[in-house]
Structure formats: structure tokens, C-alpha cells
Amino acid sequence: MDIRELQNIIQENGVVGAGGAGFPTYMKINDKADTILLNCAECEPLLKLHRQLLYYHAYEIMQTFHMIAETVGAKEAIIGIKKSYVQTVNALMAHIEEFPEMRLHLLDEVYPMGDEVVLIYEATGRVVRPGGLPIEQGVAVFNVETVYNVYRAVKSGKPVTDKYVSVVAEVSEPVTVRVPLGATLDEVVACAGEVTVKDPVYFVGGPMMGRIGAGSDPVTKTTNAILVLPKDHVIISKKNRTSSIDLKRAASICCQCNTCTDLCPRHNLGHPIDPARFMRAASNHDFQDLNPYINSSFCCSCGVCEMYACPQSLAPRTLLADMKAGLRTKGIRPPQGVVPVPVKESREYRKVPEERLMARLGLSRYDKDAPMDERLVAVPKVTILLSQHIGAPAKAIVKAGDMVTRGQMIAEPAEGLSVGIHASICGKVTEVTDRQVVIAAV
Ligand code: SF4
Ligand code: SF4
């Protein structure tokens, strides 16, 4: 298969990064990649999805990963996987000899190992420049479910219509299920038995970088996990704080210990992000040196500074995110051509062990198996968003009253960076807006 053909199949079938921001995968099929990297680091604590999907579908995923390597002409295909995922490592080792360009890179149980920039450094020793793309270093990174979706698209012409989601924490039966895109969070949580706490809050994604979601929110192509938490859990409390109070707290109690900078994973890779300097400048309204503000663009929002490092429970990540958003609104672009300084020698000793992180955030008791059930969950209605990826939203090509079948394209890729969207159930279209298509099962 040539590159253009594979890109077309992936775009038409709506494959995007199955997690994170949903970067359209066809853009990563690039002959500048001499190395491709499969991300099975399960970046955040409590996530259980990728290790299981890779265990159950090891051969299909390896075959597809090999096909991508051949198509782009990559010399090396690396599977980055935590060494603690023993069952999955064994499943991969059973086939690895068949793929001479492939190797496993075993990773430690530290956070944020699944961050692309960190993973690339760990697996290849290359540093992506601040604000740069992995492909500039000759690397393309894919997550496990994304490659499985490429497999389904190439092998059987099946578009992305459903999503694997883990439901964990305050539920009686943690589980990883396969649900149609557009099912509600309430419907997904109902698959995990009883909710074991009064007034639960749904936290969508991992505990470090996730968001609070409503029960009626639809599942999208990037929904990986739902954490069901008590409303007074520390993660929820931190999320509900307001930035103006955070800034006042920083002015009064930041002791300038520098721990947030010392532990910042991007800073330790030589990027010019310095949360301690930013906190000092922002809380004192000091604008003599603008670099701490402008360099907020290089924060990846991993949350190490505010969820783990800061002894005063301050919120550098949130304030940096506000600064980034403010700069964007004012049309101020991130500095270009910034060259990283050498990786800090102390980096090895400043990694954040996941076990410690979970203990500090009160999550250790939720670290249980969430077994995978691959039967598709049936729902009476789906609300499918037209923007589930970075780039332009897809353009609806159905109207209210149309009958659709599962897998049928209901929105085509828009001009520019975009992918198609497909019906996730058979039924009747009941609503079409600029934002979504609603389908009722028949
Ligand atoms: S969130 Fe904090 S620790 Fe993470 S990159 Fe940004 S400043 Fe560094
Ligand atoms: S870790 Fe907290 S107290 Fe220390 S410098 Fe950073 S924000 Fe200030």
C-alpha cells in the first residue's frame, strides 16, 4: 500500500488519536518518520485500557504496526510498554520474531510516561524541541486503540463507530466496555454495577489531566475512562477552585521552594518552562521579564506541579493554562525556533513514581482491575459530535428523518485537517445541528 492510499483509508474511516486531543491519524502517516512508536504507557494512574486491548489483540495490532512501518519506510517500530504489564509483554513476545524491525522498550511505572515528548526521549533518546512536532525528530507516535482502529479500517473497511472506556473508582464492578460513540456517560457507568458513593462526580479521562463531566455528556473518540469519585475528593476539589483565588493564594503562601520546576518533566528535558519563576512573577504582577509568561506555551498541562510537587497545594498548571489561553486570545503565538538546553542530569532522580502519586491523591484504593468486556453495549439513542478531533469539524451529510445504518458516513471530512464521522447505531436521524447528529435506535 502507498502512503496516500493508507492516508485516505484512515481519513475516510474517521480514525483519530483514541485519547488526548484526537489528532487525525492520517497526518501521522509520513515518510519523514524513520521510527514509529506504539504508546502503551497508559499515561495516567487507574487507566486500564491499552494494556488489555494490546493483550487481546496483540497479533492484529503488531501486524498493523508493521504495515504502517513498511508504508512510511520506518526502519524501526518500537512498542513502548510499562514493564509491569507482564501478561501483555508476554503476548507481544510470542510474535515479535515475525517482525524484524520491531522491538519492545520497557518503561518504568512513572508519570507522565505516556506524554509523547517524554516517551520519545525514553524510547529513542531524541528530544522534541519546545513547541515542535515528533515528526521533526523522525518519529510518529500512535496509541494502541488508534492502531487497532487502523487495523479494522484497513482489514475490513470498518470505520470508527465505538470506543473502549474503563469505568473505575466508586463502582462495585470496575470494567472496560465497548460502547457506541454518542452513548451517555450515565449509560457507560451503568455497565460497572452499583455506584458506591452518594452524589458521585464523573471525572472523564485520567485523574491528572481529565475533566469533570455530566451524566448526559456523549462518549467521543477520545473518551478513555470515567472515574466515579465522591464530590469531596481532592481531585474534584482542586478542579473546582477558581483561578483568582489560586493567584491570591500563590501571592501569600508560595515559599519559592522551586519544587514545581525541579519535578517538571518538560523542564527536565531542557524545555524553557519554569513554573516556579512563573508563579513568582504572576503573583507579584512582575512584568520586567516576560519570558516566564511567554514560555507558558511550553507547558503540556501534565499537572505534576500542582497535583504532586507543590507542598502548598498551589496551582501552577491551572494558572499557566489561563496564561496560555490569554496569549492565544490576544493572538500572541508561541516563540518559534526555541532550542532546548541539554537534558538535566538530575532527571533520572526526579521522576514521579505512580505509586507515590496515587497515594498522594488518595487513589490507591481504586487501583483495581477493570476487566475488558468486548460485547458492544446497546443504547436507545446516540448524540454524535461533529468535532471529536483537532481540526475542522466534519460536515453533516444527513438530515432529520433519514434512516442510517451503523458504519454509514453521516458527516464528511471538511476542508483542511478533518476526518469523517459515522453512525454508531442503526436508526433514524432525529436532529442535525452544526454541533451534533442525534440518532434514535429503531
Ligand atoms: S503542568 Fe506543571 S509540571 Fe507539567 S509541564 Fe506544565 S509546568 Fe511542567
Ligand atoms: S512548588 Fe509551590 S510553593 Fe514551591 S515554588 Fe512551586 S508554587 Fe511555589
Side-chain angles (χ1 to χ4, degrees):
M1 191 177 304
D2 71 25
I3 286 187
R4 192 62 221 155
E5 193 184 348
L6 181 56
Q7 283 179 330
N8 284 342
I9 293 173
I10 291 174
Q11 185 179 24
E12 286 293 309
N13 286 289
V15 183
V16 302
F23 191 77
T25 304
Y26 72 93
M27 289 298 290
K28 291 189 173 183
I29 305 299
N30 189 319
D31 62 6
K32 293 196 180 84
D34 63 43
T35 301
I36 59 169
L37 184 49
L38 186 70
N39 185 349
C40 189
E42 213 95 82
C43 188
E44 300 209 30
L46 305 186
L47 302 191
K48 307 287 177 186
L49 199 168
H50 292 143
R51 70 191 84 176
Q52 296 191 78
L53 194 59
L54 191 51
Y55 171 70
Y56 287 116
H57 297 283
Y59 192 58
E60 296 99 305
I61 292 171
M62 291 172 92
Q63 270 184 322
T64 308
F65 199 44
H66 169 72
M67 179 274 293
I68 294 172
E70 274 194 330
T71 305
V72 301
K75 291 188 199 70
E76 203 173 27
I78 307 171
I79 301 178
I81 182 166
K82 290 198 174 143
K83 54 180 78 149
S84 58
Y85 304 167
V86 176
Q87 266 193 320
T88 310
V89 168
N90 290 341
L92 296 167
M93 290 308 290
H95 305 291
I96 195 95
E97 281 181 6
E98 200 180 308
F99 308 104
E101 82 290 359
M102 209 173 282
R103 71 171 167 92
L104 302 194
H105 186 90
L106 299 183
L107 304 161
D108 291 330
E109 197 79 27
V110 297
Y111 178 81
M113 196 54 99
D115 172 30
E116 276 192 350
V117 174
V118 172
L119 182 64
I120 289 170
Y121 179 70
E122 291 282 340
T124 69
R126 303 177 197 177
V127 178
V128 178
R129 72 172 170 88
L133 291 172
I135 198 66
E136 294 171 20
Q137 287 296 325
V139 185
V141 185
F142 303 86
N143 90 12
V144 172
E145 191 177 359
T146 305
V147 175
Y148 187 58
N149 285 338
V150 173
Y151 161 76
R152 290 175 19 130
V154 171
K155 186 82 177 171
S156 344
K158 284 192 180 149
V160 180
T161 54
D162 38 68
K163 183 75 189 71
Y164 291 90
V165 184
S166 296
V167 188
V168 297
E170 293 287 356
V171 289
S172 59
E173 295 162 37
V175 70
T176 301
V177 284
R178 189 161 71 94
V179 294
L181 294 176
T184 65
L185 301 188
D186 274 336
E187 286 165 335
V188 185
V189 170
C191 300
E194 301 290 314
V195 171
T196 51
V197 72
K198 238 180 101 189
D199 299 327
V201 177
Y202 297 162
F203 205 74
V204 185
M208 297 295 282
M209 297 179 73
R211 62 173 176 86
I212 294 173
S216 58
D217 285 353
V219 168
T220 72
K221 293 178 182 180
T222 60
T223 310
N224 271 347
I226 305 169
L227 279 53
V228 180
L229 294 170
K231 70 173 183 200
D232 58 353
H233 193 279
V234 61
I235 288 172
I236 305 297
S237 310
K238 279 180 187 271
K239 211 64 180 180
N240 281 332
R241 291 193 317 212
T242 58
S243 298
S244 58
I245 302 287
D246 278 337
L247 198 57
K248 287 186 181 123
R249 290 186 73 238
S252 59
I253 58 171
C254 174
C255 59
Q256 301 184 10
C257 62
N258 217 52
T259 317
C260 49
T261 295
D262 288 343
L263 296 191
C264 171
R266 292 286 175 104
H267 178 84
N268 286 330
L269 279 175
H271 288 203
I273 175 74
D274 188 338
R277 253 178 93 197
F278 167 79
M279 291 296 270
R280 191 159 59 236
S283 59
N284 290 303
H285 304 288
D286 176 356
F287 300 107
Q288 291 184 64
D289 176 6
L290 295 181
N291 283 325
Y293 299 98
I294 290 171
N295 288 339
S296 63
S297 314
F298 302 132
C299 166
C300 68
S301 290
C302 69
V304 164
C305 49
E306 75 182 35
M307 306 291 275
Y308 184 80
C310 182
Q312 307 282 33
S313 199
L314 296 175
R317 183 253 309 261
T318 305
L319 295 172
L320 282 159
D322 287 350
M323 177 54 60
K324 254 195 292 191
L327 293 175
R328 242 192 334 265
T329 310
K330 297 279 179 212
I332 299 171
R333 290 170 54 79
Q336 301 295 304
V338 178
V339 179
V341 299
V343 174
K344 303 267 179 292
E345 278 180 25
S346 53
R347 177 178 181 271
E348 276 307 306
Y349 312 105
R350 290 186 168 159
K351 292 179 174 174
V352 175
E354 242 176 57
E355 204 180 342
R356 287 297 313 136
L357 178 62
M358 282 195 285
R360 193 162 296 184
L361 293 175
L363 296 172
S364 305
R365 67 198 173 101
Y366 300 136
D367 188 25
K368 298 177 184 159
D369 288 345
M372 183 171 275
D373 182 346
E374 296 210 62
R375 288 169 300 179
L376 186 64
V377 173
V379 295
K381 185 184 103 171
V382 290
T383 301
I384 302 179
L385 301 185
L386 295 175
S387 181
Q388 303 184 33
H389 52 263
I390 285 185
K395 288 194 294 198
I397 52 172
V398 291
K399 57 185 185 320
D402 286 354
M403 299 300 293
V404 292
T405 54
R406 181 163 176 260
Q408 179 182 331
M409 186 178 275
I410 56 171
E412 61 188 12
E415 285 294 310
L417 189 65
S418 189
V419 297
I421 305 260
H422 303 78
S424 58
I425 59 173
C426 296
K428 187 175 186 177
V429 176
T430 59
E431 183 191 325
V432 180
T433 68
D434 289 346
R435 185 175 174 269
Q436 63 196 34
V437 173
V438 180
I439 303 169
V442 290

